[in-house]
Amino acid sequence: MTDKDFDLTRRAFLDGVLKATAGAGMTAAAPWAVSAAAAEPLQRDRVRLGVIGTGDRGRTLIRNILKTRNCTVAAVCDNFEPHLAKGRALVAANTPAFADHRAMLDAGGLDAVVIATPLDMHARQAFDAFGAGQHVWCEKAMARTIADCTAMVKRSQDSRKVLQIGHQRMFHPTYLNALKRVKAGEIGEITQIRASWHRNTSWRRPIPPGSTDRKINWRLYRDASAGLMTELATHQLQIGGWFLDAVPTRVIGSGSICFWKDGREVYDHVALVYEYPDGRKFVYTSLLNNARYGCEEQIQGSKGTIEPELGRIYQEVPPKVLALQRMQEDVKRGHKRVVPIGGATWFPELPVTTPGESLGWGEYDETMLQFEGFGEAVRAGKPLPGMLAQAYHASVASLLGEQAMDRGEAVTWPTNLITV
């Protein structure tokens, strides 16, 4: 792709975001996206980012940072040399590289850090960055405990530094368009959201020379991760809270190590129900031994259903009158017609299979946009509005779900969370 091609792609993407956020209620519902897409990066020095963690996800983030118009990778850091070498290969040859994030912070020359390390390291590394006067962009979920999530928010507020969490769907034009149509009343009152993230993989990676199982496969162990809840569910819990415009009141759930009995400590199969005000529900399942239904959300209202991950909207069709009911009406009116005994009207209701309508689709680059937004937030010294609250509540919800499954009982929403 040439620079000119990228300019056109980027402009079309930003225009798609702006179009999707233009409408009643959208400025309040997605102020971060409006702000990030509307701001044209100023022609001045780029925001200097130090990337902590250059594994698979960290390198994906580096590639997106390099696409932005206002950020640059000014340093890379990883305590595993093979990962650090791969990270260095993506940036300029003279980019400083470190094995310890504290050494990177001490070296200076940065405006902010990007944290893409195992979950249990997020809070400590964010605290160190705030202490060094740096702004922080951090991968989701926020931290391993609710207390650490809360402490990260408080530290960012006390230090007056930006804390942004990586929920890229919040910048995705398809999701923004879906929310716009919900706000316009197209699917009526939302009463339930069903979400799933199903894979067919052990999630276990081979251990390269010089490393250990717990270092490479940290997602499978309780001290470092809540497994499916923090690595996958947190994305969709953010979407649930966003579309329902509320936080849950309580959650119930069941988790098990159902299929991959290989010494892991985290569940490979989870099923939860999050209850929201007015009786609304968010129903979530995730498993690691069947990928048929993959990753999806079904936002169900009285007039229709939206599936943003698949980019479709479906209108509710008035139910057909069953044959017996139609026969009763005919008798009342004295009409006669053939009654199809044993026809389809005698069977239970089946799923609607109409193709629906497209919400718009394309090669979107929402990860790039969230970094451009972060860059402008760093320059202004102010976070993108509304974004941290979404991420904080999604992280809390994911960890609360873990607690509900562990205890085997309903767990209520905490009352001691900090105001964002």
Side-chain angles (χ1 to χ4, degrees):
M1 179 183 288
T2 66
D3 288 344
K4 182 178 180 181
D5 290 335
F6 178 68
D7 286 345
L8 294 173
T9 301
R10 177 180 177 278
R11 185 66 261 165
F13 168 69
L14 296 181
D15 287 345
V17 173
L18 291 172
K19 182 178 179 181
T21 54
M26 287 303 292
T27 301
W32 54 85
V34 178
S35 176
E40 190 64 32
L42 301 176
Q43 298 302 313
R44 49 194 267 196
D45 292 340
R46 294 179 179 231
V47 174
R48 299 165 299 175
L49 305 180
V51 179
I52 307 172
T54 56
D56 288 348
R57 184 58 184 166
R59 294 195 299 275
T60 295
L61 298 180
I62 288 172
R63 293 185 186 96
N64 276 277
I65 292 168
L66 296 177
K67 296 177 185 177
T68 67
R69 298 307 177 90
N70 60 348
C71 295
T72 187
V73 177
V76 291
C77 174
D78 201 296
N79 61 9
F80 185 49
E81 175 56 34
H83 284 174
L84 184 59
K86 290 179 180 179
R88 294 181 69 176
L90 297 177
V91 297
N94 61 346
T95 304
F98 300 87
D100 188 299
H101 73 279
R102 289 161 297 191
M104 185 182 78
L105 293 171
D106 290 343
L110 301 175
D111 301 304
V113 300
V114 172
I115 298 174
T117 55
L119 181 62
D120 61 317
M121 298 180 180
H122 289 184
R124 174 167 49 86
Q125 291 169 342
F127 298 158
D128 289 345
F130 291 139
Q134 300 294 309
H135 301 276
V136 173
W137 187 100
C138 182
E139 262 296 349
K140 58 80 205 156
M142 287 181 66
R144 183 62 188 92
T145 67
I146 293 176
D148 275 349
C149 292
T150 300
M152 287 173 67
V153 174
K154 191 172 189 310
R155 291 282 186 100
S156 72
Q157 293 175 337
D158 291 346
S159 64
R160 297 186 179 181
K161 296 298 178 181
V162 174
L163 172 61
Q164 185 169 316
I165 308 300
H167 282 277
Q168 65 268 24
R169 286 171 177 80
M170 296 167 69
F171 296 90
H172 198 307
T174 300
Y175 279 84
L176 293 166
N177 187 30
L179 185 64
K180 178 179 179 179
R181 298 181 75 160
V182 166
K183 292 292 182 183
E186 289 192 33
I187 65 169
E189 180 183 353
I190 299 175
T191 55
Q192 177 172 282
I193 296 177
R194 296 193 304 183
S196 64
W197 202 323
H198 298 166
R199 292 176 171 178
N200 197 337
T201 172
S202 71
W203 226 359
R204 186 175 288 284
R205 299 182 177 187
I207 305 167
S211 192
T212 65
D213 179 47
R214 284 186 174 265
K215 187 176 181 65
I216 298 299
N217 291 307
W218 56 271
R219 292 176 182 84
L220 304 182
Y221 298 100
R222 285 292 188 107
D223 57 347
S225 174
L228 295 169
M229 295 308 298
T230 48
E231 305 311 312
L232 299 182
T234 182
H235 274 303
Q236 292 167 302
L237 287 165
Q238 181 273 314
I239 292 163
W242 189 17
F243 277 79
L244 292 170
D245 194 21
V247 296
T249 56
R250 69 172 194 161
V251 55
I252 57 176
S254 174
S256 61
I257 300 176
C258 182
F259 186 81
W260 297 105
K261 303 181 188 301
D262 56 1
R264 70 185 60 210
E265 298 171 355
V266 299
Y267 301 132
D268 66 359
H269 186 180
V270 301
L272 305 103
V273 177
Y274 288 82
E275 298 180 357
Y276 281 78
D278 301 321
R280 297 172 295 169
K281 307 288 191 299
F282 179 94
V283 181
Y284 185 77
T285 62
S286 186
L287 51 86
L288 288 176
N289 68 290
N290 186 295
R292 168 67 178 84
Y293 291 102
C295 176
E296 63 178 349
E297 304 93 26
Q298 299 162 353
I299 300 165
Q300 299 172 298
S302 56
K303 297 180 181 178
T305 299
I306 282 179
E307 297 180 354
E309 188 71 34
L310 300 177
R312 310 298 296 180
I313 179 171
Y314 305 85
Q315 300 299 326
E316 284 287 293
V317 178
K320 295 180 179 179
V321 178
L322 296 177
L324 280 177
Q325 293 173 306
R326 188 169 62 234
M327 183 173 66
Q328 290 172 345
E329 295 298 320
D330 289 343
V331 170
K332 289 178 183 178
R333 293 192 294 265
H335 294 172
K336 295 180 181 179
R337 75 171 85 197
V338 174
V339 177
I341 301 297
T345 57
W346 299 93
F347 288 91
E349 294 175 356
L350 298 174
V352 176
T353 57
T354 55
E357 175 191 343
S358 174
L359 290 168
W361 199 252
E363 294 185 4
Y364 300 137
D365 211 342
E366 60 273 10
T367 301
M368 178 273 291
L369 180 58
Q370 67 175 332
F371 276 113
E372 287 204 349
F374 178 63
E376 294 308 297
V378 168
R379 283 176 172 167
K382 296 180 180 179
L384 295 179
M387 194 172 178
L388 182 55
Q390 289 281 331
Y392 178 40
H393 294 152
S395 290
V396 170
S398 69
L399 294 166
L400 210 65
E402 179 191 32
Q403 292 179 20
M405 291 185 293
D406 287 348
R407 297 178 190 176
E409 61 185 22
V411 178
T412 58
W413 188 254
T415 58
N416 61 344
L417 297 184
I418 196 168
T419 301
V420 186

